[in-house]
Amino acid sequence: MSKAYIIGTGPGDEELLTLKAKRVLGECTAVLYDRLVSNNILNYLNDDCEIYYCGKEPGAHYKTQEEINDMIVALAKKDHIVGRVKGGDPYVFGRGGEEVLALQEEGIEFEVIPGVTSPIAVLNYAGIPITHRGLAQSFHIVTGMSARSLNVNFEALAKENGTLVFMMGLSNIDYIVSELIKYGKDKTTKAAVVMRGTSSKQRKVIGTLQDISKKAEEAKLKSPCIIVIGEVVSLENELSWYENKPLFGKNICVTRSKSQAKGLKVKLKNLGAEVTEINSIVIEDTSNNLDKYKNDISTYDHILLTSVNGVKIFFDYLIKEKIDIRTIKAKFSVVGKATKKALEEKGIVPFKVSREFVGEGLLNVITPYVNKGDKILIPASAKSRTLLQDELENIGADVTKVDIYDVLKGELKNEKAFEEVDAILFTSPSTFENMKEMVGLDRIKEKICIAIGPITNKAIKEDGIDALVCKEHSEDGFLKEIEEMLKEV
């Protein structure tokens, strides 16, 4: 049965998306989105969801509102569950009401999902409370884009003691301030302009009614902006928090698979970065390749695991096939701290751990404990190197390497997402190779490239890019390095 959701997704920071909006996005079979929607929102859609860009930008309207209304109705009539995805809240100058009326006229079921609205959230992230005891007990939100044509009652607004907020009003800022002063607003009243609030591109200027326009022009602020006027602006220095984070102002692209990106993304965001998630790799489980060896798993002397994916998929296979871990006598050894942690979460303390996140490191620590004739199982990626297998066979070991997963190229759901990125974190050669196909080498060269280690850096360097290279391969280690790297950029 067809249905349409009008979905507010908040002002920019992906984490301001509501739980209900997240759930509903997963139900949609067709989605229309615009330019004010956060880069990562489309990642919550199913892979087979149809996606349409209908952004309306100053001077370049891709779709009129009437055309958007018609598209929503047409898609719903094709039995789609339609999501009209909008920045902020659909009913706060979002024209969501017009879209709902179009659906109602056609008898199409609809639901409106509220979103965190920008006048509240953007000011919060800028350190400006919209109300504050003793300074402002009320607030008034006005569309600044149509300030002239809508005959806003500036005479009444000028007399208000509460906070005045003008949304999307940068192009009319001179008119707005002059009208307020004309009707008696003190020209020394505190004022601020906040650009792209809650995102990595957030910038603000602070002044008074008489100089805020000039300051915004000197700072070269561009839409979308929010103008705020009132004594609450005086608190911005004391209440700022977002702009004080170490990676504020940086948009970092994480190129891992969806499951791997989650933890890293949270940690980067805690440091103040905006994270653009482009899942350049998709993990395909091929653990059925173990079927021919499953009766012999208990006979191996060593099992070597070279990645977190390898640990997860190997143990998932054991569970699926009801293989009792207690029958396995092999010593487990792993590459790197992250793989060690993943193995320990399965209740197994690794025999040996290589400090370096490369096969050579594991080879160095395991070789002294491998005897001629030892049986060794290496469940790994189809694209992994054969170095461990080759070198251990050279010393007389009986090595079985089984491809239990493959790394495939992901899909870029939001073509505009990459434009915002300042730096790209590559965690494997495959993330780099896939990103080349997805966004193009020339566009990658415009960004700061960070390689997780020497193997990844080698792949990047072959294309003429001088990447910053992490020396630490644990997540916490390279996060600290990234923080230091980007401080000076």
Side-chain angles (χ1 to χ4, degrees), residues 25-32 42 44-52 80-81 83 411 413:
L25 287 168
E27 297 176 10
C28 293
T29 60
V31 155
L32 295 83
L42 301 187
Y44 293 103
L45 303 174
N46 292 320
D47 291 338
D48 57 353
C49 181
E50 296 178 16
I51 301 172
Y52 302 91
H80 277 291
I81 297 175
E411 178 187 358
K413 290 187 175 180

Side-chain angles (χ1 to χ4, degrees), residues 34-273:
D34 58 41
R35 73 185 183 100
L36 296 181
V37 171
S38 169
N39 292 336
N40 291 320
I41 297 299
L42 301 187
N43 290 335
Y44 293 103
L45 303 174
N46 292 320
D47 291 338
D48 57 353
C49 181
E50 296 178 16
I51 301 172
Y52 302 91
Y53 178 66
C54 56
K56 294 185 288 183
E57 302 183 36
H61 285 209
Y62 287 86
K63 296 284 184 185
T64 66
Q65 185 60 52
E66 291 70 25
E67 287 173 329
I68 292 170
N69 296 348
D70 291 343
M71 280 187 70
I72 299 170
V73 168
L75 287 166
K77 286 184 173 180
K78 291 179 180 177
D79 289 330
H80 277 291
I81 297 175
V82 184
R84 170 64 173 115
V85 181
K86 308 170 77 71
D89 180 272
Y91 284 171
V92 181
F93 305 123
R95 303 188 74 170
E98 297 172 50
E99 293 163 349
V100 167
L101 288 173
L103 290 163
Q104 192 178 53
E105 189 176 333
E106 296 292 332
I108 296 168
E109 183 184 357
F110 67 88
E111 193 168 333
V112 182
I113 314 299
V116 177
T117 187
S118 56
I120 308 299
V122 166
L123 297 190
N124 181 313
Y125 275 54
I128 302 171
I130 199 164
T131 63
H132 187 81
R133 188 164 63 90
L135 293 180
Q137 281 73 50
S138 65
F139 59 86
H140 306 268
I141 301 171
V142 183
T143 174
M145 184 178 287
S146 307
R148 293 175 187 268
S149 60
L150 293 182
N151 297 317
V152 171
N153 190 344
F154 282 100
E155 184 175 3
L157 289 175
K159 291 179 173 61
E160 291 289 345
N161 293 320
T163 305
L164 304 181
V165 179
F166 292 86
M167 295 175 62
M168 306 295 288
L170 187 63
S171 61
N172 283 324
I173 188 169
D174 287 329
Y175 177 75
I176 291 167
V177 298
S178 67
E179 287 294 290
L180 289 171
I181 292 170
K182 171 183 167 183
Y183 286 107
K185 200 75 171 172
D186 191 328
K187 64 177 66 176
T188 65
T189 302
K190 291 283 187 180
V193 179
V194 186
M195 180 182 92
R196 301 286 300 279
T198 79
S199 77
S200 63
K201 302 300 183 284
Q202 175 174 310
R203 294 175 64 196
K204 73 182 178 194
V205 294
I206 306 295
T208 63
L209 271 183
Q210 64 185 347
D211 64 12
I212 192 64
S213 176
K214 182 180 179 184
K215 287 188 172 184
E217 183 180 2
E218 288 173 348
K220 298 180 179 176
L221 301 190
K222 297 178 180 178
S223 290
C225 287
I226 285 179
I227 302 166
V228 56
I229 297 162
E231 292 310 307
V232 289
V233 175
S234 62
L235 295 171
E236 64 85 22
N237 191 46
E238 296 171 86
L239 300 186
S240 285
W241 58 273
Y242 182 46
E243 295 160 0
N244 298 331
K245 288 178 173 277
L247 288 179
F248 167 73
K250 307 298 182 188
N251 186 313
I252 301 173
C253 179
V254 173
T255 58
R256 284 175 161 179
S257 66
K258 190 180 285 289
S259 60
Q260 289 178 310
K262 187 176 179 181
L264 175 59
K265 185 174 168 183
V266 169
K267 291 177 181 178
L268 285 169
K269 287 183 72 68
N270 284 341
L271 291 170

